Each structure stands twice: as structure tokens, then as C-alpha cells.
Amino acid sequence: MLIFDDTDQIPGQPWRVHDSRRPQPRIVTPGAEPGRPPSDAVVLFDGTDLSEWESAVNPGEEAAWKVEDGHVEVVPGTGDIQTVRRFGDCQVHLEWATPAEVTGDCQLRGNSGVYLMGLYEISILDGYDNPTYADGAAGSIYGQFPPFINACRAPGQWQSFDIIFETPRWDEGWLVEPARFTVHHNGLLLHHRQEAMGPTVHLETSSYASPHPEEGPLLLQDHGPMRFRNIWIRPLTDYDAE
């Protein structure tokens, strides 16, 4: 390995340019195929069971959605489900499909949402040839910011979300940094470090009224028939370490 010990100091860092003493990046083995979980991921759903999930309506009770053929299907009326584990800063991958048979329009088509920390929603919707209010479109930060583009596939086809979520930072009850989202839908960028206005609310403006826990569950919304598969998460605990 090349050794440099007399180069310039990098401003704001304890290292010199090309410093051979600087710690090497942690090795993470990528998934065998695009979208598959890497070696450091927490696999939340691999197509077999819901052991990582619980009822969000009655925490501690088993999730009542149906697992079959490698996916989990919403059982309408049973309520949202959430992860048993809690997460803060994270990278999330999930795949979803709306019903192949189209009924209704606007928000009455295949509809769900994924909530980071159980508080901040990225909308899931059949948005293929289906106009709706822009801040409720597929991939929107619900009620706040529309996605850059509509990247929806046709109804019934599998689609993917890849989400980087940065939690808000508080200092003695004061907001220092808002929550931020970077979102890709089917590989296309929808949001780039977009600041959330606060936890998701419906028909109202959002705000950071008070601090909340630093970690929370990943939550999937019961809002009608939907299917999910291949869900994993990477807690980002050391991604910005020096």
C-alpha cells in the first residue's frame, strides 16, 4: 500500500490527505442480486413469516396480515402492522404491488403507506394513469411534498422503494435538524434529502410540536388490499463516523 505521511492536513479532520492511518471502510457484502439484502441488513420480511412484525393497533399481538407465495398481503380491517424492533437513521428497501384489478380512482385505488419511526409517511398508491392530489401521490412525503416524478408501474406489477431516512435532532427540547428523506421509486429519484415539515398528519399542516423518541418502528398501513415482499433495513449508525 502507498504510504503518505507528509501531505496537507484536511480542514476540520484529524487526517492528512491520503493518510495511511485513516481507518478503512467497513466491509459490507452486497446482495447477490439488485434489491436483495446486503450482509449487514436486518431482514424484516423474507417471504416466510411475520416474526419481525406486530400489530400496530395492539402492540405485542401478532400481525394479522396473510403470508403466502413469498409475499405478505394486507387483510383489510385488521389494522396497521409495525416492526417489533425500533430504528433511527436507516436505509430501507421494500417491494410492493397494488391490485391487478383496478377499482375506484384517486386515493380509492390500491393505497397504503410506509411510516419511518411510525411517524413519517411515504405514500404508496396505484398512481398509474390515476391523477390524485400531488402531495398524496405514490412516493410523496404525505401531505407535504410531491415526488419529483411519477415512476409507477402498471397495476399488479411489483415496484420498489429505496429510502434513506435521517431522524430529526433535538437539543434540550429545541429542534436542531429536521427529519430528511431521500427516496427512489423503481430506481428513480423522487426526493433528495428533502426536509420533512414534521410527523405526518391528515388534512392539516405538520410541525415539530415536541420532541419524540430517537427510534421508532417501521410501519405499514392497512388502507385496502396490497402486497409486500423483500423488506429489509440497514441502521445507519456509523455512516458518518470519521
Side-chain angles (χ1 to χ4, degrees), residues 34-36 90-96 114 122 159-165 181-191 230 232:
R36 303 308 299 174
C90 59
Q91 174 185 351
V92 175
H93 176 89
L94 75 157
E95 297 170 14
W96 52 272
V114 53
I122 298 298
Q159 314 198 45
S160 66
F161 273 171
D162 289 281
I163 301 168
I164 303 296
F165 178 70
F181 278 101
T182 298
V183 181
H184 289 81
H185 182 190
N186 296 328
L188 299 176
L189 184 66
L190 302 188
H191 303 280
N230 191 24
W232 51 264

Side-chain angles (χ1 to χ4, degrees), residues 76-228:
T78 60
D80 303 343
I81 65 172
Q82 65 185 19
T83 56
V84 176
R85 305 194 211 190
R86 302 297 187 256
F87 305 95
D89 293 344
C90 59
Q91 174 185 351
V92 175
H93 176 89
L94 75 157
E95 297 170 14
W96 52 272
T98 61
E101 182 178 347
V102 174
T103 60
D105 58 12
C106 193
Q107 296 285 307
L108 297 179
R109 286 218 197 156
N111 189 337
S112 183
V114 53
Y115 284 73
L116 284 297
M117 301 184 72
L119 295 170
Y120 301 86
E121 181 188 2
I122 298 298
S123 180
I124 296 174
L125 182 73
D126 177 3
Y128 187 84
D129 193 23
N130 180 34
T132 188
Y133 46 87
D135 60 9
S140 63
I141 302 175
Y142 188 79
Q144 300 181 27
F145 297 100
F148 292 153
I149 60 171
N150 180 340
C152 285
R153 301 189 194 279
Q157 295 186 22
W158 284 103
Q159 314 198 45
S160 66
F161 273 171
D162 289 281
I163 301 168
I164 303 296
F165 178 70
E166 302 169 60
T167 64
R169 268 58 172 176
W170 307 84
D171 184 11
E172 297 184 352
W174 295 94
L175 182 71
V176 177
E177 293 285 343
R180 290 185 172 89
F181 278 101
T182 298
V183 181
H184 289 81
H185 182 190
N186 296 328
L188 299 176
L189 184 66
L190 302 188
H191 303 280
H192 178 61
R193 297 201 75 212
Q194 176 62 59
E195 297 182 359
M197 298 166 59
T200 299
V201 292
H202 185 50
L203 298 178
E204 299 177 14
T205 55
S206 179
S207 67
Y208 294 94
S210 61
H212 53 66
E214 294 180 357
E215 296 183 334
L218 190 74
L219 181 148
L220 297 176
Q221 189 180 43
D222 170 12
H223 212 338
M226 289 286 300
R227 294 177 292 155
F228 296 91

